[in-house]
Amino acid sequence: MSAPAQTRLTGQLPRRRVLLTNIGELLTGDGPDRGPLRSWQDYGKRGTLSELVILQQLYGYWQVEWIGDPRASDRPAADSTVDLGGRTLLPGLTDCHTHAVFAGNRAHEFAERLAGRSYQEIAQAGGGILHTVRATRAASLPELVDAALPRLREMAACGVRIVEIKSGYGLDLASETRIFEAIGLLNARLAGRMTVVATAMPAHAVPPEHRADPAAYVEEICGQVLPALALRGAAFVDIFIEKGYFDVAQAERIWQAAKKLGLKLKAHVDEFADVGGLPWAVAAGATSVEHLLTTSAENIAALAQSSTVAVGLPLTSVFLREPFAPLRALVDAGALVAVATDCNPGSAMTTNLPLALQMAVLGGRLTPMEALRGATRCAALALGQPNGWGGRLVPGGPFVATVLDLPSIDTLFYELGAPPRASDILYSAGIR
Ligand code: NIG
Ligand code: FE
């Protein structure tokens, strides 16, 4: 009696094998995490002949089961086939640093900066982050979701499958919590297209009501805000360690509280001035340090010896007319280097990850392979490999992929500022 019942149960599991065929270029991302990459072969490009990927659905997740040559005899039988029509298939693009949930806009400040006022001058006069905090505090939950959803849809249209979103435009318990509720709703709305990783960043600026007593705000972060955000799914805490924002002692206090809540550490460091944030974060075991415009040779060497990912944000340099982070030197030294958009209203009003990759190449002097590794493998590392996603397509690993309506991966870099090129072909075939 028991054997047939088991057979029936097994038969009910939602398992399906799909053959992906007629792939123009397949990039697996199988290559070293560190050091220079000089050819696509170094980053797992598989032949010029279309190759095949077999997938298997296990409990709703898609896995890579087999990668190989169409003529190989060991290819598992599939239930159906998706013809990619010569498109390019690569590991799912990952934007590992954004501040995409906010209300209002700062076009007027952008114009002021172009007329000669600095980012810091605007911030000191009560604009900058605090301008967006006022608009975000005044926005309802549905308004926050409505403002952010088009940004995330634009990212998805560029091929982004995993996005990190930081809070930090609320700066009090109720508003930071509302931002996290918005992140949760956005994650649900985008299910199947994008996965959101949430980072708690109440230490983005000191809010006006605490200006006279920043220590009280640090205590509010530790005692109230972080516990609420941890409960609502925060994976990381991020701290803006910068002149006029938070210093290393405050960062240490916040990190001790965050660690007890099970959060991992990220830090914004060396964006305008080196105030010692980078060596502190590396010693604290940070998953990533981000921005790095003013990073010294000594700090580059410290990163190269660590498993902390250096996150470069080249569009922030362009947008602020600041120098590029030393991305070339970081890769050459052997650091883990990711590339992201920094999508935010003040220093990088953009959702375009491919453009960030292009600028990492043209301004940051990375090779295209190194830049793409920065938005796949190293971006996955910068997010602590969410759900086991390691940023590459390997047999036995999760299948999170981007299909580009492009004949080759080189074209992604060649077509400067091109319109979004992600193809919906896998989503339409039910592979989500
Ligand atoms: O990553 N550096 C701090 N935060 C943002 C800018 C935020 C803003 O100007 O609104 C950044 O550049
Ligand atoms: Fe940022």
Side-chain angles (χ1 to χ4, degrees):
M1 281 300 284
S2 61
Q6 272 176 11
T7 308
R8 243 176 280 128
L9 269 176
T10 309
Q12 284 165 1
L13 282 175
R15 291 174 73 131
R16 187 150 73 95
R17 285 201 173 89
V18 180
L19 174 65
L20 303 186
T21 187
N22 195 15
I23 303 163
E25 277 191 5
L26 168 62
L27 195 72
T28 65
D30 212 354
D33 296 347
R34 299 170 190 265
L37 295 174
R38 299 227 156 76
S39 77
W40 287 117
Q41 277 69 30
D42 289 349
Y43 200 52
K45 187 171 146 184
R46 306 287 295 243
T48 45
L49 183 72
S50 307
E51 301 202 36
L52 313 178
V53 182
I54 306 287
L55 317 167
Q56 179 182 42
Q57 197 182 32
L58 287 171
Y59 309 106
Y61 283 97
W62 288 85
Q63 250 190 355
V64 179
E65 191 178 344
W66 180 92
I67 301 177
D69 186 288
R71 296 154 305 189
S73 56
D74 65 337
R75 163 152 66 87
D79 306 310
S80 59
T81 297
V82 177
D83 183 328
L84 289 191
R87 295 179 178 87
T88 296
L89 178 68
L90 60 149
L93 290 177
T94 299
D95 192 342
C96 68
H97 179 142
T98 88
H99 309 250
V101 175
F102 59 86
N105 83 72
R106 309 226 298 267
H108 60 288
E109 287 185 5
F110 183 70
E112 285 176 38
R113 281 198 298 102
L114 297 186
R117 227 171 152 210
S118 75
Y119 182 87
Q120 292 91 329
E121 279 165 358
I122 292 169
Q124 273 152 23
I129 292 173
L130 296 184
H131 181 97
T132 303
V133 168
R134 287 189 289 276
T136 303
R137 283 181 173 180
S140 66
L141 177 59
E143 284 166 348
L144 281 182
V145 172
D146 284 352
L149 194 56
R151 295 177 199 128
L152 297 184
R153 290 209 167 117
E154 285 168 21
M155 292 178 188
C158 289
V160 173
R161 299 295 318 276
I162 297 173
V163 63
E164 184 249 21
I165 304 179
K166 303 173 198 293
S167 71
Y169 291 114
L171 308 187
D172 62 29
L173 177 63
S175 311
E176 288 287 306
T177 302
R178 198 161 63 256
I179 291 170
F180 257 66
E181 284 166 355
I183 292 174
L185 291 172
L186 290 161
N187 192 35
R189 284 283 283 274
L190 291 159
R193 289 193 182 273
M194 272 174 128
T195 301
V196 182
V197 176
T199 293
M201 202 174 177
H204 195 196
V206 176
E209 64 273 19
H210 285 300
R211 205 172 181 156
D213 188 9
Y217 182 53
V218 169
E219 289 317 304
E220 185 178 322
I221 288 175
C222 296
Q224 295 175 47
V225 185
L226 289 182
L229 303 188
L231 209 60
R232 286 167 177 78
F236 293 94
V237 64
D238 196 340
I239 305 161
F240 190 17
I241 306 176
E242 181 67 50
K243 218 194 264 173
Y245 294 85
F246 296 88
D247 63 23
V248 166
Q250 292 168 321
E252 175 65 25
R253 169 80 187 102
I254 293 164
W255 169 228
Q256 288 309 323
K259 195 156 60 169
K260 288 196 193 103
L261 296 164
L263 304 183
K264 287 179 280 185
L265 177 64
K266 290 177 170 290
H268 278 56
V269 299
D270 295 355
E271 184 172 357
F272 300 106
D274 178 351
V275 295
L278 192 146
W280 170 79
V282 169
T287 304
S288 62
V289 287
E290 332 219 333
H291 282 289
L292 312 171
L293 302 195
T294 61
T295 294
S296 64
E298 205 183 337
N299 285 353
I300 291 171
L303 277 172
Q305 298 302 315
S306 78
S307 55
T308 300
V309 180
V311 180
L313 305 158
L315 292 178
T316 309
S317 296
V318 174
F319 201 85
L320 294 181
R321 291 172 157 172
E322 294 283 345
F324 285 94
L327 299 181
R328 179 72 263 146
L330 282 160
V331 169
D332 287 341
L336 297 165
V337 176
V339 178
T341 59
D342 196 21
C343 171
N344 78 76
S347 70
M349 189 58 220
T350 176
T351 54
N352 195 327
L353 185 60
L355 187 63
L357 299 183
Q358 292 169 345
M359 289 305 136
V361 167
L362 297 172
R365 302 215 155 252
L366 296 188
T367 65
M369 307 83 211
E370 292 159 351
L372 194 74
R373 176 175 63 184
T376 50
R377 172 67 179 162
C378 286
L381 293 175
L383 295 184
Q385 304 203 49
N387 299 329
W389 165 236
R392 35 170 75 139
L393 299 174
V394 287
F399 180 74
V400 179
T402 293
V403 179
L404 295 175
D405 253 323
L406 295 173
S408 72
I409 190 67
D410 275 326
T411 318
L412 179 68
F413 291 85
Y414 168 63
E415 292 185 348
L416 194 61
R421 297 291 196 205
S423 162
D424 246 7
I425 191 164
L426 291 181
Y427 187 84
S428 305
I431 302 168
R432 288 156 193 187

